[in-house]
Amino acid sequence: MDILSVLGEVIFFLIVFFVIFLVHYYVISFDRKKKKKSAKMTSMDLYILKKFNISEDKINLRTLNFHMSIIDAFIMAFVSTTLDVTDFHMGIKLAISFALLFALIYSLYEIYGRGLKKKIEKNDKILDK
C-alpha cells in the first residue's frame, strides 16, 4: 500500500464524514414546517437519556444533537472506509460491516453516555455546594 492510496482513503473518509454529518445534523436541527432551526429529541437521544438515567432538563438538546451527529457520521464513515479498503467477497464485507456497526454503535454511545453522566453529576455537585 503506497502513500497515495492511504491519502486517497483518508480523503474518502473525510468526505464521507462531512457529508453524513452535514445531512444528519441538518435533518435533526431544521424544522421543515416552520423553516427555522429547532432542537428535536431523536430516538438515540432518548436511548442515551433513559439508559444513563439523565433528566431532559439538565442537558442542552442542540449540543446533544451535534454530538450525536458527529458520532453517527464517524461510525458510518469508518465502516464505509474499512469496507472500501478490504478486498473480500461481498458476503464477507456485509458480515464485517454488520459486526463493525454493532460494535461501534454500542461502544461509542456507551462512552458518550458515561461521559455525559459524569459531566452532569459533576455540575450537580458543584451547584449543590
Side-chain angles (χ1 to χ4, degrees):
M1 191 174 243
D2 61 340
I3 191 72
L4 288 178
S5 63
V6 171
L7 185 62
E9 295 301 329
V10 169
I11 291 171
F12 176 72
F13 175 84
L14 291 174
I15 289 171
V16 170
F17 177 82
F18 284 120
V19 167
I20 291 174
F21 170 73
L22 291 174
V23 169
H24 191 269
Y25 189 65
Y26 176 77
V27 168
I28 287 176
S29 67
F30 193 74
D31 190 7
R32 286 177 225 65
K33 293 176 185 172
K34 297 180 182 176
K35 302 215 186 258
K36 66 176 187 171
K37 278 191 159 191
S38 67
K40 295 187 270 187
M41 184 70 72
T42 63
S43 61
M44 295 315 295
D45 296 340
L46 288 173
Y47 169 75
I48 292 286
L49 296 178
K50 296 290 183 197
K51 180 170 171 69
F52 294 99
N53 199 16
I54 299 171
S55 176
E56 289 181 30
D57 57 340
K58 293 185 179 183
I59 61 163
N60 183 354
L61 197 54
R62 281 201 176 167
T63 305
L64 182 66
N65 286 337
F66 180 76
H67 291 159
M68 296 303 282
S69 294
I70 288 175
I71 291 170
D72 289 342
F74 175 78
I75 290 169
M76 289 183 233
F78 183 79
V79 170
S80 63
T81 305
T82 303
L83 293 182
D84 189 43
V85 170
T86 59
D87 191 27
F88 296 126
H89 186 272
M90 185 58 72
I92 296 172
K93 281 187 176 185
L94 285 173
I96 291 171
S97 67
F98 188 72
L100 271 176
L101 280 173
F102 270 101
L104 286 173
I105 287 171
Y106 179 74
S107 63
L108 292 179
Y109 286 166
E110 187 77 19
I111 291 169
Y112 180 71
R114 287 182 186 192
L116 187 64
K117 184 161 179 85
K118 273 187 184 178
K119 182 180 176 183
I120 289 173
E121 286 174 353
K122 182 180 175 184
N123 287 342
D124 285 346
K125 287 179 184 177
I126 291 172
L127 293 175
D128 288 341
K129 289 183 179 182

